[in-house]
């Protein structure tokens, strides 16, 4: 992949991974961060959960994803129901964006 010497937050590469994840129960009407071991992720990666390869449990939403520690994917699951629910286990598609340098603090 080509790059420049200008530090401006360009995407160096974007790729997709499909780890098999087994979430645990999320309490009623709340969100909860859950962590999963995913070798190769870096703390500077920008990650997005594209979806589950299958059907998610009704009332469960993915609200955020981060890599706060190397090799550890953190996903924030939201439970919009009145009872505890376990998000569906299975293969999740994750988009990973690696920046060429630090992300800019402005859009200029």
């Amino acid at each position: 992949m080509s790059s420049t010497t200008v530090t401006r937050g360009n995407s160096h590469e974007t790729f997709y991974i499909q780890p098999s994840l087994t979430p645990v129960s999320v309490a009623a009407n709340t969100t909860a961060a859950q962590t999963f071991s995913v070798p190769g992720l870096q703390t500077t990666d920008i990650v997005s959960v594209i979806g589950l390869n299958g059907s998610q449990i009704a009332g469960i939403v993915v609200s955020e994803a981060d890599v706060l520690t190397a090799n550890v994917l953190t996903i924030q699951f939201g439970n919009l129901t009145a009872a505890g629910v376990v998000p569906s286990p299975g293969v999740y598609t994750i988009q990973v964006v690696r920046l060429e340098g630090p992300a800019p603090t402005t859009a200029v």
Side-chain angles (χ1 to χ4, degrees):
M1 174 132 267
S2 63
S3 67
T4 66
T5 57
V6 178
T7 303
R8 59 179 170 239
N10 286 336
S11 173
H12 176 64
E13 60 185 324
T14 299
F15 57 94
Y16 297 85
I17 58 174
Q18 292 186 308
S20 182
L21 307 177
T22 305
V24 297
S25 185
V26 178
N29 297 308
T30 191
T31 60
Q34 297 188 28
T35 59
F36 306 93
S37 176
V38 180
L41 290 179
Q42 301 172 8
T43 58
T44 53
D45 288 342
I46 298 168
V47 293
S48 300
V49 179
I50 303 303
L52 168 69
N53 295 352
S55 297
Q56 188 55 269
I57 300 295
I60 291 290
V61 296
V62 175
S63 58
E64 184 181 6
D66 296 293
V67 181
L68 302 174
T69 304
N71 304 312
V72 178
L73 173 66
T74 300
I75 299 176
Q76 187 90 322
F77 289 98
N79 177 359
L80 308 177
T81 72
V85 177
V86 177
S88 295
V91 175
Y92 283 73
T93 300
I94 312 295
Q95 180 184 38
V96 181
V97 176
R98 293 223 166 117
L99 300 180
E100 184 177 36
T105 57
T106 67
V108 179

